[in-house]
């Protein structure tokens, strides 16, 4: 009997071991399943921008994520004036029994408040999302994100006050308008150019003034429009009467020789810290294209803010005793060894006189730039207010500094040939918020009177200095 008892004992031990192993396996399986499918954390949601001012064209942008099982569905709702509107809802497929195909996603949903008849005023945005956790069957539905919003569908009001607008291609014109106080931006849109207006100049704080241009690269079919935008992005566009006059710009050919390239190209590349170029012609093209573009970008940075009242005083002063070498917006072709290698537009006047002549401020203003400026060499930029700036390039010496106030005729430097200049001369530009405009209008006291001062004087104001038209 001993062997049989022994067998029984042995089988008993094995059965117990088997049961323990099965139980352990079951526990391990349940732990694994629980860890995988009983994910405790709900999905997270985040608004990608503020919703305190939602307008006609606003979108609501939400980032959703679920780290473990991934997203199963989402829904974005807005409640306004007692009505709930579902703005977006989505279901996300499972990739396996364990996880979703979508661990995270960004939803951008247009509010379309007018189309969806969502009323203006206070609103609540609620975002709902679920994951692939089994716990989702037991969870009460509550938003993972709730935010208070304000819906504003009314654009600012804008009324054009000035009546006469005659602008020549490449030149400027002046607009007066009245805008409601909710506007955060207003001015004149001309194709892709935007010219901001300035308020605070008139006794009526609602009146704003904006210079605008139909820049030299546009044509007479261009239609300038007054615009105003509020914090919710609602945009008012108003057409006003403008006559755009045509203009022909001169075609000029510049012949480049080796002596010029040898003298200027290494000098400018070194002075501007530009990358080394394979040869002189490539170096010249880098300067004439890339560095020219970079110089204009720098000008736009420098001319981004301007005095809120006119600082200029009558007609601009033209560099004394100087002869023009080239005019505004000449179309230049660059010829090397008998063939055209480049074409650029010359955005200013080149004025030549004696070498190292004193350079005078064209009008009263503030120095906003004094130093190296790419193709313009050593240069000075003055702010004359309301977005009007003047630029003095290729200087051999600068005798003023940023922040200084200058008056018409003050000496600010000496002419030279720094930067992309073939000989001693002054490059003079007038710019509107960094866009070059024709200086000829600014040398003409009658033009300034008729287009600007007469319009300003039609409305009560106390702070304007631009009274002399001589
Ligand atoms: Zn020039």
């Amino acid at each position: 009997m001993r062997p049989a008892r022994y067998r029984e004992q042995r089988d008993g031990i094995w059965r117990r071991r088997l049961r323990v192993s099965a139980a352990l396996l079951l526990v391990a399986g349940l732990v694994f399943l629980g860890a995988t499918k009983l994910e405790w954390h709900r999905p997270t949601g985040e608004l990608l921008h503020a919703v305190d001012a939602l307008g006609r064209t606003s979108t609501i942008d939400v980032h959703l994520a679920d780290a473990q099982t991934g997203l199963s569905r989402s829904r974005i709702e807005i409640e306004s004036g007692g009505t709930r509107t579902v703005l977006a809802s989505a279901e996300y497929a499972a990739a396996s029994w364990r996880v979703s195909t979508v661990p995270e996603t960004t939803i951008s949903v247009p509010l379309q408040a007018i189309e969806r008849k969502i009323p203006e005023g206070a609103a609540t945005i609620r975002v709902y999302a679920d994951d692939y956790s089994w716990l989702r069957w037991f969870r009460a539905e509550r938003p993972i994100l709730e935010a208070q919003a304000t819906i504003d569908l009314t654009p600012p009001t804008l009324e054009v006050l000035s009546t006469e607008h005659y602008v020549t291609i490449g030149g400027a014109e002046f607009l007066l308008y009245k805008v409601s106080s909710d506007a955060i931006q207003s001015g004149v849109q001309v194709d892709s150019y935007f010219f901001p207006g300035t308020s605070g100049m008139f006794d009526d704080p609602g009146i704003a003034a904006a210079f605008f241009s139909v820049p030299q690269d546009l044509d007479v079919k261009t239609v300038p429009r007054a615009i105003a935008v509020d914090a919710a992005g609602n945009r008012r566009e108003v057409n006003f009467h403008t006559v755009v006059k045509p203009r022909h710009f001169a075609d000029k050919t510049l012949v480049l020789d080796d002596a010029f390239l040898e003298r200027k190209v290494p000098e400018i590349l070194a002075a501007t810290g530009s990358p080394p170029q394979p040869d002189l012609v490539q170096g010249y093209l880098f300067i004439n294209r890339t560095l020219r573009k970079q110089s204009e970008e720098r000008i736009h940075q420098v001319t981004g803010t301007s005095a809120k009242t006119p600082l200029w005083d009558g007609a601009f002063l033209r560099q004394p005793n100087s002869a023009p070498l080239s005019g505004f917006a000449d179309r230049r072709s660059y010829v090397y060894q008998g063939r055209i290698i480049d074409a650029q537009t010359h955005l200013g006047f080149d004025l030549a006189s004696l070498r190292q002549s004193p350079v005078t401020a064209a009008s009263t203003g503030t120095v906003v730039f004094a130093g190296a400026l790419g193709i313009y060499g050593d240069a000075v930029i003055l702010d004359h207010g309301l977005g009007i700036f003047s630029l003095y390039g290729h200087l051999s010496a600068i005798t003023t500094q940023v922040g200084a106030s200058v008056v018409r005729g003050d000496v600010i430097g000496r002419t030279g040939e720094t930067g992309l200049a073939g000989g001693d001369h002054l490059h003079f530009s007038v710019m509107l918020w960094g866009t070059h405009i024709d200086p000829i209008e600014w040398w003409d006291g009658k033009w300034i009177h008729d287009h600007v001062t007469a319009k300003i004087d039609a409305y009560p104001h106390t702070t304007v200095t631009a009274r002399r038209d001589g």
Side-chain angles (χ1 to χ4, degrees):
M1 292 306 280
R2 278 182 78 147
R5 267 187 66 195
Y6 175 71
R7 208 161 42 237
E8 256 169 46
Q9 257 179 356
R10 200 184 54 190
D11 288 354
I13 289 165
W14 275 108
R15 270 197 296 277
R16 270 200 301 280
R17 280 185 183 169
L18 216 68
R19 274 201 296 273
V20 169
S21 301
L24 279 173
L25 254 167
L26 192 69
V27 168
L30 284 174
V31 166
F32 173 71
L33 264 177
T36 318
K37 293 299 289 186
L38 295 174
E39 182 194 358
W40 190 255
H41 299 286
R42 288 146 52 92
T44 54
E46 188 193 354
L47 283 168
L48 297 182
H49 59 77
V51 290
D52 52 346
L54 296 174
R56 291 166 178 239
T57 57
S58 294
T59 59
I60 293 160
D61 300 312
V62 185
H63 181 254
L64 298 173
D66 190 86
Q68 228 169 308
T69 53
L71 298 163
S72 61
R73 58 185 177 149
S74 68
R75 192 170 83 251
I76 301 172
E77 283 184 10
I78 192 160
E79 186 177 339
S80 174
T83 5
R84 281 187 178 205
T85 310
V86 175
L87 298 175
S89 68
E91 311 249 325
Y92 310 104
S96 66
W97 67 272
R98 285 202 296 177
V99 292
S100 164
T101 49
V102 180
E104 61 179 312
T105 185
T106 296
I107 302 170
S108 179
V109 50
L111 180 63
Q112 294 177 316
I114 291 171
E115 296 85 337
R116 291 182 162 124
K117 300 187 167 52
I118 302 170
E120 283 188 288
T124 306
I125 291 168
R126 294 189 186 91
V127 179
Y128 299 84
D130 255 328
D131 55 16
Y132 271 98
S133 165
W134 285 339
L135 293 176
R136 73 185 185 277
W137 310 117
F138 306 103
R139 286 174 185 149
E141 192 179 55
R142 61 183 170 88
I144 59 160
L145 174 69
E146 194 170 301
Q148 297 310 308
T150 305
I151 301 176
D152 168 12
L153 306 175
T154 313
T157 60
L158 193 159
E159 179 198 354
V160 170
L161 301 175
S162 48
T163 51
E164 303 276 294
H165 310 101
Y166 296 93
V167 57
T168 307
I169 300 283
E173 183 51 290
F174 193 62
L175 180 83
L176 289 181
Y177 57 93
K178 196 168 169 160
V179 66
S180 53
S181 60
D182 58 328
I184 57 160
Q185 188 187 47
S186 67
V188 183
Q189 188 77 46
V190 184
D191 204 87
S192 62
Y193 293 88
F194 176 67
F195 300 103
T198 306
S199 52
M201 205 170 104
F202 295 91
D203 296 355
D204 179 345
I207 299 182
F211 278 105
F212 65 96
S213 173
V214 177
Q216 49 80 29
D217 57 338
L218 300 181
D219 62 33
V220 291
K221 292 193 287 291
T222 307
V223 181
R225 285 187 179 90
I227 67 120
V229 181
D230 67 15
N234 301 306
R235 185 179 168 99
R236 176 81 64 188
E237 274 198 27
V238 176
N239 284 325
F240 57 93
H241 180 261
T242 320
V243 177
V244 183
K245 293 189 274 185
R247 169 82 194 272
H248 177 76
F249 297 108
D251 292 306
K252 296 274 176 70
T253 300
L254 262 77
V255 177
L256 306 168
D257 59 26
D258 287 320
F260 172 74
L261 296 182
E262 276 160 26
R263 188 161 59 87
K264 292 306 293 193
V265 171
E267 173 201 308
I268 297 171
L269 291 177
T272 54
S274 298
Q277 299 296 319
D279 58 47
L280 288 173
V281 170
Q282 289 304 310
Y284 185 80
L285 292 176
F286 176 85
I287 292 164
N288 211 29
R289 293 170 183 174
T290 310
L291 192 62
R292 183 182 292 275
K293 231 175 111 213
Q294 289 169 356
S295 306
E296 296 308 325
E297 283 161 9
R298 185 85 185 89
I299 286 173
H300 274 276
Q301 289 170 1
V302 169
T303 58
T305 53
S306 181
K308 292 190 175 302
T309 55
L311 305 178
W312 73 83
D313 189 6
F316 279 26
L317 178 66
R318 201 176 118 161
Q319 172 73 358
N321 309 313
S322 65
L325 294 175
S326 58
F328 177 72
D330 284 356
R331 271 48 176 164
R332 284 181 171 173
S333 297
Y334 299 82
V335 174
Y336 177 72
Q337 292 183 346
R339 74 191 173 88
I340 295 171
I341 59 164
D342 204 7
Q344 297 291 341
T345 301
H346 180 253
L347 297 167
F349 263 77
D350 286 345
L351 301 167
S353 54
L354 295 171
R355 295 174 68 83
Q356 299 183 3
S357 294
V359 171
T360 51
S363 196
T364 300
T366 308
V367 180
V368 292
F369 184 89
L373 184 61
I375 61 160
Y376 296 105
D378 285 337
V380 171
I381 298 177
L382 302 183
D383 171 24
H384 302 292
L386 305 189
I388 300 293
F389 294 83
S390 58
L391 180 155
Y392 311 79
H394 310 311
L395 305 181
S396 61
I398 293 173
T399 57
T400 187
Q401 66 279 320
V402 170
S405 293
V406 295
V407 296
R408 188 178 189 268
D410 277 359
V411 173
I412 53 174
R414 291 191 170 271
T415 63
E417 50 183 310
T418 54
L420 194 51
D424 188 299
H425 75 275
L426 172 69
H427 174 99
F428 179 70
S429 277
V430 177
M431 303 172 299
L432 175 54
W433 300 112
T435 297
H436 296 259
I437 55 177
D438 195 342
I440 277 190
E441 295 173 339
W442 291 87
W443 288 325
D444 178 355
K446 188 178 181 322
W447 183 90
I448 295 179
H449 173 270
D450 294 352
H451 289 257
V452 187
T453 322
K455 288 176 189 166
I456 293 175
D457 284 343
Y459 294 89
H461 56 91
T462 47
T463 50
V464 179
T465 58
R467 295 199 168 274
R468 288 210 300 271
D469 301 314

